[in-house]
Amino acid sequence: MFGHPRRLLWTLTLLASSTSPTSLLIKLQPSGLLASAFTITSTSATIRSKTGITQRQATSYSTSRRTLNMAKSSDDAQKKINNIVVVGGGIQGTSVAYQLAQAADAGDNDTKITILEAKAVASAASGKGGGFMARSWGDGSPTQSLHELAFDMYEELAAELQCESYRKLPVLSVSPGGGGKSFQSKDPLVPNWLDGNVARISPMGYGDDTAQITPKEFVEQMLQHAPDIQVVLGKCTGVETLEEEEGDEQITGVKYRNGDDDEEKTLPADVVVVSAGPWSCQAEDWFPNAGLKLPMEGIKSTSIVWNKPDDRDVDATALFCGENSNFGTHLEVYPRPDGSIYICGIGGSDYISTAQLKDGAFLEDCEANPTRVKAAQASFRDMAPQYKEENGGSLEKSQACMRPCPPDAMPYMGPVPGYSGAYLNAGHNCWGIAWAPACGKAMAELIWEGSSSSVNLKPFDPARFTPKVAQRGRKRRGTNVGEQW
């Protein structure tokens, strides 16, 4: 009956929540695993082990399946969750849905998880990003744990999900412009295609803590391996709520419209997670009682992808290039396992305001800047003459997308004040793809357990730019919301 430590904890939680808060002694013999005696001291299921079960064994994730202990610790977590809606079907939103689904499966939970996506899964930055990640590049910052945890998770998840585009690879810093002299090197880190007009070259990573994945493949593989996640196409227009006795608004539904008709529909929801990239700032209007301020700037940038040459392999070394004043570029170059080369850092980005994003700017169409496409081609061909047109080089595609940037370059991750079951996971800047598994895991912990044990979410509080109301008024979970008598 109690053959798994996580299932044991979940069963005890159920027993405690239906019992008066007196101390009970329960002795269990879980299928020969460990003879255990636990004391439950309150309805919040505070569990104290009297045997050899360690806290780590009792509450940790499964390393292989990334599953969560289903014990609940907060007011939100004590309530039964029947329906969760994640707004946004990019790599961040899908990672949240996937980690929630893994946890629900591990706890024999029948919670229904739905992704509400405005256009198509991975249709924005998650379908057009480079997919580079670096484990140690956040050292000393509040995002360090996101870098480290996500990097480690990617290696395991890529194998579990059978992602063909994941690999570790070295990284070079390259100064463009060598005075017209062709560059040649026998250093194995230098790729065979970098033989043009370059100057100084130095290593930035040797492939032990730098890697890549094609983000669209990762999104598609998560959904394929979690078939119970439902994807609904439509634009979120708000939420439905029911006021609770303590003053919070409990989420009961997520409203949306799709392109087929203008009728507003509702998805049932006990929990909603807004993870819609730069357009997540629209949530300011979806949660009016929070007075939420989510300043966001969308940085719209062009990228290109080169086809694989017909007659040669493409060495796997990524480049971070210095400013090339001849073309106005600072290229980032990522060869992919299929032989194509992804290039961004093209320059000429456009900056989209919060107001424009709230109006849906570039949600439907986000086109490349043709002037920057030409500049990128010329800049890259200057460093890699093999890709010149006369040598058979051809462009596979040009494209553009936006990265979501809060003013302090920190993501919004956490609960929406004044609402039960409302969460934000957005604004991850240029690292949204690299951090996705860790963000998904942290948000799943927060929702299922009441707090995240793997990531410190305090620096990412969604309400950090929301003005503090000084007037007297009702309070929701200790936060003055300024409602006057």
Side-chain angles (χ1 to χ4, degrees):
M1 178 178 177
F2 301 118
H4 194 286
R6 271 186 300 279
R7 193 163 299 171
L8 172 64
L9 282 173
W10 178 237
T11 304
L12 288 174
T13 301
L14 289 176
L15 288 171
S17 64
S18 61
T19 309
S20 61
T22 55
S23 179
L24 301 176
L25 183 64
I26 301 175
K27 294 184 178 181
L28 303 172
Q29 295 289 338
S31 303
L33 287 175
L34 289 168
S36 307
F38 294 89
T39 299
I40 301 178
T41 59
S42 72
T43 56
S44 62
T46 303
I47 299 174
R48 186 166 62 247
S49 173
K50 294 185 177 179
T51 67
I53 292 183
T54 66
Q55 183 179 8
R56 180 177 180 84
Q57 288 171 319
T59 62
S60 69
Y61 278 77
S62 160
T63 302
S64 60
R65 295 194 62 202
R66 301 289 176 193
T67 52
L68 289 169
N69 146 25
M70 301 296 286
K72 314 285 183 156
S73 60
S74 75
D75 291 340
D76 273 353
Q78 288 288 351
K79 302 168 185 173
K80 177 169 174 54
I81 299 175
N82 296 308
N83 296 282
I84 300 175
V85 175
V86 179
V87 180
I91 196 168
Q92 280 285 338
T94 305
S95 291
V96 172
Y98 180 79
Q99 293 295 330
L100 285 167
Q102 293 295 96
D105 288 345
D108 287 341
N109 193 314
D110 59 356
T111 300
K112 181 179 180 181
I113 299 170
T114 302
I115 292 175
L116 177 61
E117 163 55 37
K119 192 173 181 181
V121 293
S123 59
S126 299
K128 302 174 182 179
F132 175 77
M133 63 194 81
R135 192 181 194 279
S136 62
W137 287 20
D139 285 3
S141 75
T143 64
Q144 178 174 341
S145 60
L146 293 175
H147 278 277
E148 294 174 348
L149 178 61
F151 189 89
D152 296 342
M153 289 180 69
Y154 261 122
E155 186 168 10
E156 292 188 23
L157 284 170
E160 293 172 15
L161 301 176
Q162 300 174 313
C163 294
E164 297 180 357
S165 62
Y166 173 84
R167 67 179 176 187
K168 293 184 176 180
L169 78 173
V171 184
L172 295 178
S173 171
V174 177
S175 297
K181 187 182 298 183
S182 295
F183 175 81
Q184 294 181 344
S185 174
K186 295 181 181 180
D187 191 320
L189 284 182
V190 177
N192 54 5
W193 42 267
L194 186 64
D195 58 355
N197 194 20
V198 298
R200 181 185 59 82
I201 294 180
S202 58
M204 297 178 68
Y206 294 93
D208 53 345
D209 69 345
T210 49
Q212 68 177 163
I213 196 165
T214 301
K216 186 173 184 179
E217 182 198 22
F218 189 70
V219 170
E220 292 171 343
Q221 290 300 98
M222 281 191 287
L223 292 175
Q224 182 177 332
H225 285 76
D228 290 339
I229 297 174
Q230 181 183 10
V231 177
V232 173
L233 296 183
K235 296 179 182 178
C236 182
T237 57
V239 298
E240 292 183 349
T241 63
L242 182 66
E243 186 170 343
E244 297 180 313
E245 290 183 4
E246 59 269 29
D248 274 7
E249 299 285 334
Q250 169 62 51
I251 298 296
T252 61
V254 176
K255 298 183 289 186
Y256 71 101
R257 287 188 172 95
N258 59 34
D260 297 333
D261 57 63
D262 199 41
E263 179 186 357
E264 190 170 66
K265 303 175 182 178
T266 301
L267 291 168
D270 309 295
V271 167
V272 59
V273 183
V274 179
S275 192
W279 302 281
S280 298
C281 58
Q282 295 175 350
E284 288 182 351
D285 301 328
W286 299 344
F287 306 107
N289 290 346
L292 202 60
K293 295 299 179 184
L294 300 169
M296 187 86 76
E297 187 172 59
I299 301 181
K300 177 179 174 287
S301 302
T302 295
S303 60
I304 62 175
V305 181
W306 288 98
N307 283 309
K308 179 184 183 300
D310 292 332
D311 58 348
R312 68 185 75 91
D313 293 329
V314 177
D315 284 349
T317 299
L319 309 182
F320 279 73
C321 303
E323 194 76 26
N324 190 327
S325 57
N326 293 327
F327 307 103
T329 59
H330 49 279
L331 300 184
E332 297 178 23
V333 183
Y334 306 116
R336 286 175 164 168
D338 63 1
S340 64
I341 293 184
Y342 175 95
I343 298 178
C344 60
I346 290 172
S349 296
D350 298 313
Y351 296 85
I352 315 304
S353 69
T354 301
Q356 291 173 298
L357 292 169
K358 290 179 72 172
D359 285 339
F362 299 104
L363 178 60
E364 291 295 336
D365 297 299
C366 193
E367 300 295 333
N369 182 332
T371 301
R372 303 318 303 163
V373 171
K374 291 180 181 178
Q377 291 183 77
S379 181
F380 181 64
R381 283 170 164 165
D382 191 48
M383 295 190 300
Q386 297 177 30
Y387 283 85
K388 289 185 176 180
E389 193 170 356
E390 59 266 29
N391 294 331
S394 64
L395 200 63
E396 177 184 329
K397 58 184 168 183
S398 58
Q399 57 196 5
C401 61
M402 283 195 293
R403 60 183 184 270
C405 301
D408 58 359
M410 297 291 175
Y412 297 120
M413 296 177 64
V416 176
Y419 288 80
S420 294
Y423 300 87
L424 261 293
N425 175 58
H428 300 90
N429 210 309
C430 60
W431 293 108
I433 293 168
W435 293 340
C439 294
K441 178 177 178 179
M443 294 304 297
E445 289 174 334
L446 179 61
I447 292 165
W448 284 130
E449 301 182 4
S451 63
S452 173
S453 57
S454 59
V455 176
N456 176 16
L457 297 179
K458 285 187 178 181
F460 315 138
D461 181 7
R464 64 185 181 273
F465 296 111
T466 301
K468 305 299 182 185
V469 180
Q471 301 98 324
R472 68 176 184 172
R474 287 170 57 186
K475 291 187 177 182
R476 291 196 175 115
R477 293 191 182 173
T479 300
N480 193 323
V481 297
E483 183 176 338
Q484 299 303 300
W485 291 310

